[in-house]
Every structure is written in C-alpha cells, then in structure tokens.
C-alpha cells in the first residue's frame, strides 16, 4: 500500500529519500567548509613560519654586523664548543643596536640551549640593554627550536693573512666577518634519524656578514 501526504502529494518513501539526500548534501557542505578552514589554517601557519624565519635571519644579520667594542669594553668572545658530535658554539659581544624592536646598544649572548629544565630550545639569544644607568632587564629570544646545532666562524687576520677560525676572543679587535650556521639533526649528528620538525629552508642557509665597525 502506498501512503501519500495530503499536503504535498508526496509518498512517505519520497519524503524519506529527500531527507536523506538533504542530509548528505549538508554533510558534504560541512566537509567542504572544514577542508577550507583547515587549508586556511595551514596557510596562516605557513605564513607565520616564513615570517618568523625571515625575521630571525634578518635579526641575526643585524646583530652580527653591528658588533662593537663599546670604547674598549665588552670583550668579543666567540667560543667553539661541542655536545657529542653536535656543534654548540657560543658568542658573547656588544652590539650597537638590539635589532628592529630593541634600539640602542646591547650586550648579546648567543648559545645552543639543550637544558631540558629551561623553556627555550635550540639556538637562543639573550639581549641586555646597555645604558648610563647600568644594564637593563634581559630579553631572551628562541630563534629556531628545530635547529639542533650552532656553528660560528670568524674571519680574522693571523700573521698578516686573512683566515677563517672557529674561535676568536679579543677585548680590542673584532673579526672582519662572521659566519653563522644553524644545523639540522641530520647534519649535526652525522646521519642520525629524528622525527622533530625540519629547519625552515631560509634558516638552513649560512648567514655571513661583514662587521661594520672600522678596525685599526
């Protein structure tokens, strides 16, 4: 027996089929919106990653190129270090500017943070303002959490010849140039596998800058 709705003339079966079709259409619509939302979120995340990488690279160039001796004080100290097979160099120096958001002279320390008790991870920079009233509060920045190694070289004059060295410490002479490399797990540990995020391509490239200060 066939049952029809008095109001529309549709059979009950036809009404049920229509409801099922409408439900499928709504589900497809929600799925499409979810995909668009996920794509938009991924795009925003990618943009943030690129912007963050570009900003970190730009700040590194600014800091390295603005190294200064501050009237003979604040020794330039570049120390070569390792943690197992991983490069873990450290650089301490004065800079004439703390970067785009930190104007004025600062004391800078750059190192590889591998301490599980700290909130930072990977290459970290600490900036301390230098002023007439004494040093200000430090500002600590995490540069690239996915980096697992930090390697620095310095172009200096030794015995009348320019050469790259892994360490340079002097209270009165700056290097002519500095090269900085952030290393991935594979490069740092000689092929060891790791499931942590890869280093952004922009930060995987070496940063090489000339120091702007005139030297004697």
């Amino acid at each position: 027996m066939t049952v029809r709705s008095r109001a529309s003339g549709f059979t009950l079966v036809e009404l049920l089929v229509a409801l099922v079709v409408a439900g499928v259409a709504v589900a497809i619509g929600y799925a499409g919106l979810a995909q668009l939302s996920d794509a938009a979120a991924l795009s925003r995340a990618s943009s943030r990653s690129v912007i963050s990488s570009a900003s970190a690279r730009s700040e590194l160039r600014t800091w390295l190129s603005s190294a200064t001796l501050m009237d003979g004080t604040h020794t330039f100290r570049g120390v070569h270090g390792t943690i197992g097979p991983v490069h873990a160099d450290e650089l301490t120096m004065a800079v004439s500017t703390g970067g785009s958001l930190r104007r004025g002279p600062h004391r800078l320390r750059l190192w590889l943070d591998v301490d599980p008790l700290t909130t930072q991870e990977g290459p970290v920079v600490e900036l301390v303002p230098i002023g007439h009233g004494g040093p200000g509060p430090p500002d600590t920045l995490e540069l690239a959490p996915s980096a697992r190694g930090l390697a620095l070289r310095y172009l200096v004059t030794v015995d009348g010849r320019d050469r790259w060295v892994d360490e340079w410490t002097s209270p009165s002479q700056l290097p002519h140039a500095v090269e900085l490399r952030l290393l991935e797990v594979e490069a740092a540990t000689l092929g060891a596998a790791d499931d942590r995020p890869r280093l952004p391509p922009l930060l995987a490239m070496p940063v090489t800058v000339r120091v702007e200060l005139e030297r004697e």
Side-chain angles (χ1 to χ4, degrees), residues 57-78:
R57 185 176 178 87
S58 175
E59 294 285 51
L60 283 170
R61 294 186 63 87
T62 297
W63 294 326
L64 295 176
S65 64
S66 64
T68 182
L69 294 173
M70 301 294 291
D71 298 326
T73 63
H74 299 287
T75 296
F76 184 99
R77 184 172 180 267

Side-chain angles (χ1 to χ4, degrees), residues 79-90 111-114 122-123 147-153 166 179 181-190:
V79 179
H80 176 61
T82 58
I83 301 175
V86 178
H87 286 276
D89 295 350
E90 182 172 336
W111 76 100
L112 184 69
D113 193 337
V114 295
R148 290 297 177 269
L150 174 63
L152 290 132
R153 294 196 307 165
D166 293 332
E179 179 192 82
R181 289 182 297 137
L182 302 179
L183 305 176
E184 290 187 298
V185 175
E186 290 79 6
T189 59
L190 304 179

Side-chain angles (χ1 to χ4, degrees), residues 21-69:
V21 171
V24 171
V26 170
I28 293 174
Y30 276 121
L33 288 174
Q35 289 179 349
L36 289 175
S37 177
D38 291 344
L42 180 60
S43 176
R44 288 193 297 270
S46 298
S47 297
R48 285 196 299 270
S49 176
V50 171
I51 292 170
S52 175
S53 299
S55 177
R57 185 176 178 87
S58 175
E59 294 285 51
L60 283 170
R61 294 186 63 87
T62 297
W63 294 326
L64 295 176
S65 64
S66 64
T68 182
L69 294 173

Side-chain angles (χ1 to χ4, degrees), residues 111-181:
W111 76 100
L112 184 69
D113 193 337
V114 295
D115 187 347
L117 299 180
T118 62
T119 58
Q120 296 84 28
E121 186 177 13
V124 175
V125 63
E126 180 185 77
L127 291 161
V128 179
I130 302 172
H132 297 295
D139 190 3
T140 304
L141 306 172
E142 189 178 61
L143 294 178
S146 57
R148 290 297 177 269
L150 174 63
L152 290 132
R153 294 196 307 165
Y154 311 95
L155 181 64
V156 298
T157 301
V158 179
D159 297 330
R161 298 179 58 183
D162 288 347
R163 55 180 293 191
W164 288 99
V165 296
D166 293 332
E167 291 191 339
W168 181 254
T169 298
S170 174
S172 60
Q173 185 177 1
L174 293 173
H176 305 310
V178 179
E179 179 192 82
L180 179 148
R181 289 182 297 137

